[in-house]
């Protein structure tokens, strides 16, 4: 059974610092991995989607890497801003139906 | 980009009544939609996979008679919480898969049963 773990569970950094969020999964047979952002009481906003054949994806200040063999993905957020404060979730798709398995998330607070 | 509209965003109902939540894909067709439940400070728990034109597939431990799912068209799936009780109070989120953009999520529905 696929298990997805996110470390740390919570993170607080001063504005301007780079953020490093980790996601690990136990079954390397994945179709893709996706990073999401969730603000309190809101739905999920997709940040980056990495297909199993890809090593990384970039969008603006965000960069996500994927190492299938070791079962890891890392989300980097450069030059953090208070607006980056949110919970970040990673999810893997290991099912042909497309079901996602989520990690518990990392709650990020960026202080001004 | 792909957009999923979920309605209502919040609802308060009396114990014993039923509540319907709608999930629409606005600019793409979704043969498969997913329904999740999220408790405070926890991650999303998949409840069921909704397939257009066929019965939904429920995850283990989810009561299919309590959480009725209908996916009558390629752009609409509904979740009906029947005979709701306070323990059904939660945040419900739907998602749909777009082949190019991955998974797009609705904005969620906060259900409070009093």
């Amino acid at each position: 059974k696929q298990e997805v773990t996110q470390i740390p569970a919570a993170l607080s950094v001063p504005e301007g610092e780079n953020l490093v969020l980790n996601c690990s999964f136990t079954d390397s047979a994945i179709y893709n991995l996706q990073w999401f952002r969730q603000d309190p009481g809101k739905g999920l906003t997709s940040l980056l989607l990495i297909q199993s054949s890809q090593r990384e994806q970039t969008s603006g200040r965000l960069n996500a890497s994927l190492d299938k063999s070791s079962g890891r993905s890392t989300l980097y957020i450069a030059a953090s801003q208070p607006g980056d404060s949110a919970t970040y979730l990673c999810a893997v798709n290991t099912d042909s139906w497309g079901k996602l398995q989520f990690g518990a998330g990392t709650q990020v607070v960026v202080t001004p | 980009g792909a957009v999923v509209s979920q309605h209502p965003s919040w609802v308060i109902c009396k114990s014993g009544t039923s509540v319907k939540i709608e999930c629409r894909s606005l600019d793409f067709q979704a043969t498969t939609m997913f329904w999740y439940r999220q408790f405070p400070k926890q991650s999303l728990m998949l409840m069921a996979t909704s397939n257009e034109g066929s019965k939904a597939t429920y995850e283990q431990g989810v009561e299919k008679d309590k959480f009725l799912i209908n996916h009558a068209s390629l752009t609409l799936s509904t979740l009906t919480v029947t005979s709701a009780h306070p323990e059904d109070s939660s945040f419900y989120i739907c998602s749909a898969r777009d082949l190019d953009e991955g998974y797009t999520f609705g904005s969620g529905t906060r259900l409070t049963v009093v």
Side-chain angles (χ1 to χ4, degrees), chain B residues 19-86:
Chain B
V19 173
K20 180 185 285 188
I21 302 170
E22 292 188 349
C23 181
R24 295 180 183 271
S25 58
L26 296 187
D27 50 3
F28 66 102
Q29 293 183 334
T31 56
T32 303
M33 291 186 178
F34 305 89
W35 288 95
Y36 295 84
R37 182 174 182 174
Q38 186 178 33
F39 292 102
K41 297 190 181 299
Q42 295 187 25
S43 192
L44 280 72
M45 181 190 77
L46 180 65
M47 299 175 65
T49 302
S50 168
N51 301 296
E52 187 267 336
S54 65
K55 292 182 179 181
T57 303
Y58 290 82
E59 295 300 300
Q60 191 173 8
V62 177
E63 299 177 61
K64 61 181 180 181
D65 293 331
K66 165 166 276 296
F67 300 101
L68 299 179
I69 291 173
N70 184 277
H71 194 158
S73 77
L74 288 171
T75 59
L76 174 64
S77 176
T78 61
L79 168 67
T80 301
V81 183
T82 63
S83 187
H85 292 285

Side-chain angles (χ1 to χ4, degrees), chain A:
Chain A
K1 180 185 175 184
Q2 178 74 268
E3 292 185 4
V4 182
T5 305
Q6 289 187 248
I7 295 174
L11 183 62
S12 180
V13 298
E15 182 177 4
E17 272 199 15
N18 297 330
L19 287 164
V20 180
L21 309 179
N22 298 298
C23 173
S24 62
F25 45 96
T26 54
D27 184 350
S28 62
I30 65 171
Y31 288 84
N32 54 57
L33 181 146
Q34 197 161 356
W35 283 93
F36 297 91
R37 168 187 172 137
Q38 185 176 31
D39 293 292
K42 304 292 185 182
L44 276 65
T45 300
S46 176
L47 298 175
L48 290 167
L49 168 68
I50 311 176
Q51 301 292 350
S52 62
S53 58
Q54 297 174 322
R55 300 279 296 183
E56 68 175 344
Q57 280 285 351
T58 298
S59 176
R61 294 184 294 113
L62 276 60
N63 173 277
S65 65
L66 174 64
D67 184 342
K68 270 182 50 178
S69 60
S70 65
R72 293 180 185 176
S73 176
T74 303
L75 177 66
Y76 301 90
I77 303 177
S80 61
Q81 303 168 359
D84 294 328
S85 298
T87 296
Y88 292 83
L89 297 160
C90 74
V92 297
N93 172 17
T94 55
D95 189 300
S96 60
W97 286 99
K99 291 191 295 186
L100 291 179
Q101 185 77 31
F102 280 87
T106 295
Q107 185 174 11
V108 171
V109 174
V110 180
T111 55

